[in-house]
């Protein structure tokens, strides 16, 4: 039974820690820092479904985040939908689009697939930049009146924070359930040797498309919540490849193919990022350091922090997935 495994409850403990920590001292700065960490964990955990399990490097995972944001903001601003309904609808719509995209680009492998995902991101950004119902290149601005159903802007920020923490927890649970399922075993087989997996009976095209679809749902919801919080969305922010690059760094820093690795990597990376942005010396070198960090991980610690921890304390494999 999954409920009897320690890691199931560890995820719950992480969510509880995120929920309680900023409330204890009414610390708004801590809340904002943890909110961004929750977004990074959501992106990295869902990216890990493709990168860690199937071995497909997806540089375009930010497409899900941005499209989810646009659909949610449009439904609220133009059609008057509520936040929860609009965000979840955005999640389903983006998942369907991801399934369609996946049927096409997942025929590619290796560097060709990675380049194709960048192309998808650029194509979607170009389309949105010229799509007038979504504001074109100037984006969409939200009226503060949309925050009134949530108790006003100040209270809405806390509600959005808790919703993002919930999405973060669901991302970890989704990654966990997939990993321990028959479907997850099929994805891991694809990651090891796709041709051999196909010979053994794994329906590789369908499994890859479903994984791509599953990895889009929660990031799309997170995108809707994130951009609603800022009351503004534009193409350059919604489809910024920097987020995708950082998600890959986070997944590999924590340990790709593990469930807890992306969460650990996201928290550490957010702390490092916060220090870099406030440093007079290194504030302009954030991406340079992220790239160097990725190179170091690939060369010297391909298993990431979780791989190092498993090597030092093998019993942790029974506790941390």
């Amino acid at each position: 039974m999954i409920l009897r495994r320690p890691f199931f409850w560890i995820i719950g403990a992480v969510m509880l820690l995120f929920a309680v920590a900023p409330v204890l001292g009414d610390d708004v700065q801590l809340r904002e820092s943890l909110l961004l960490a929750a977004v990074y964990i959501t992106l990295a955990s869902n990216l890990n479904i493709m990168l860690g399990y199937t071995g497909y490097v997806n540089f375009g995972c930010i497409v899900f985040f941005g499209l989810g944001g646009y659909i949610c903001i449009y439904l609220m601003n133009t059609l008057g939908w509520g936040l929860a309904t609009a965000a979840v609808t955005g999640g389903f719509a983006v998942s369907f689009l991801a399934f369609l995209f996946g049927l096409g680009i997942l025929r590619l492998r290796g560097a060709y697939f990675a380049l194709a995902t960048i192309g998808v991101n650029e194509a979607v950004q170009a389309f949105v930049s010229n799509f007038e119902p979504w504001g074109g290149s100037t984006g969409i601005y939200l009226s503060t009146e949309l925050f009134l159903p949530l108790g006003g802007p100040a209270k809405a920020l806390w509600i959005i924070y808790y919703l993002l923490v919930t999405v973060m927890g669901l991302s970890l649970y989704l990654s966990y359930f997939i990993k321990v399922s028959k479907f997850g075993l099929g994805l891991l087989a694809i990651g090891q040797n796709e041709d051999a997996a196909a010979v053994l009976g794994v329906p590789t095209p369908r499994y890859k498309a479903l994984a791509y679809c599953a990895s889009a749902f929660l990031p799309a919801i997170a995108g809707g919540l994130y951009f609603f919080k800022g009351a503004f969305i534009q193409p350059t922010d919604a489809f910024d490849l920097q987020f995708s690059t950082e998600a890959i760094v986070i997944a590999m820093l924590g340990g790709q193919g593990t469930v807890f690795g992306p969460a650990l990597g996201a928290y550490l990376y957010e702390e490092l990022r916060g220090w870099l942005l406030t440093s007079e010396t290194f504030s302009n070198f954030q991406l340079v350091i992220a790239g160097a960090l990725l190179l170091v991980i690939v060369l010297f610690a391909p298993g990431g922090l979780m791989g190092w921890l498993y090597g030092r304390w093998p019993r942790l494999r029974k506790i941390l997935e």
Side-chain angles (χ1 to χ4, degrees), residues 53-56 185-195 197 202-205 207-208:
Y53 298 164
T54 69
Y56 277 69
L185 291 176
L187 296 181
L188 292 171
I190 292 171
Q192 292 294 319
N193 189 317
E194 186 169 342
D195 293 327
V202 177
T204 56
Y207 269 33
K208 290 187 296 182

Side-chain angles (χ1 to χ4, degrees), residues 43 53 78 118-119 132 138 157 167 182 268 286 288 296 317:
L43 290 176
Y53 298 164
T78 306
I118 296 175
E132 289 305 321
T138 58
L157 291 177
V167 172
K182 180 182 177 181
L268 294 176
Q286 176 190 343
V288 174
V296 170
R317 289 183 180 273

Side-chain angles (χ1 to χ4, degrees), residues 212-232:
Y212 197 62
C213 174
S215 69
F217 181 67
L218 291 170
I221 293 178
L225 297 173
Y226 180 80
F227 288 108
F228 175 73
K229 172 183 174 292
F232 169 65

Side-chain angles (χ1 to χ4, degrees), residues 133-156:
W134 286 0
S137 59
T138 58
I140 304 174
Y141 290 84
L142 291 180
S143 170
T144 55
E145 294 181 359
L146 292 175
F147 292 91
L148 295 179
L150 300 179
K155 188 176 180 179

Side-chain angles (χ1 to χ4, degrees), residues 69-206:
Y70 260 104
I71 293 172
C72 176
I73 295 299
Y74 176 77
L75 291 175
M76 294 186 69
N77 188 60
T78 306
L79 303 181
W81 288 28
L83 174 60
T85 307
V88 173
T89 300
F92 280 113
V94 173
S95 290
F96 177 71
L97 290 174
F99 183 77
L100 297 181
F101 289 154
L103 290 176
I105 65 173
L106 284 167
R107 297 177 183 272
L108 305 172
R109 299 188 188 182
Y112 297 104
F113 173 78
L115 290 173
T117 60
I118 296 175
V120 168
N121 182 75
E122 295 303 311
V124 172
Q125 181 175 342
F127 170 78
V128 172
S129 297
N130 292 280
F131 190 55
E132 289 305 321
W134 286 0
S137 59
T138 58
I140 304 174
Y141 290 84
L142 291 180
S143 170
T144 55
E145 294 181 359
L146 292 175
F147 292 91
L148 295 179
L150 300 179
K155 188 176 180 179
L157 291 177
W158 282 102
I159 293 175
I160 293 168
Y161 171 72
Y162 286 120
L163 289 175
L164 281 169
V165 170
T166 302
V167 172
M168 174 199 74
L170 291 175
S171 296
L172 292 172
Y173 278 123
L174 175 64
S175 180
Y176 178 49
F177 289 143
I178 287 178
K179 184 177 182 180
V180 300
S181 68
K182 180 182 177 181
F183 174 58
L185 291 176
L187 296 181
L188 292 171
I190 292 171
Q192 292 294 319
N193 189 317
E194 186 169 342
D195 293 327
V199 170
L200 292 173
V202 177
T204 56
R206 179 160 56 90

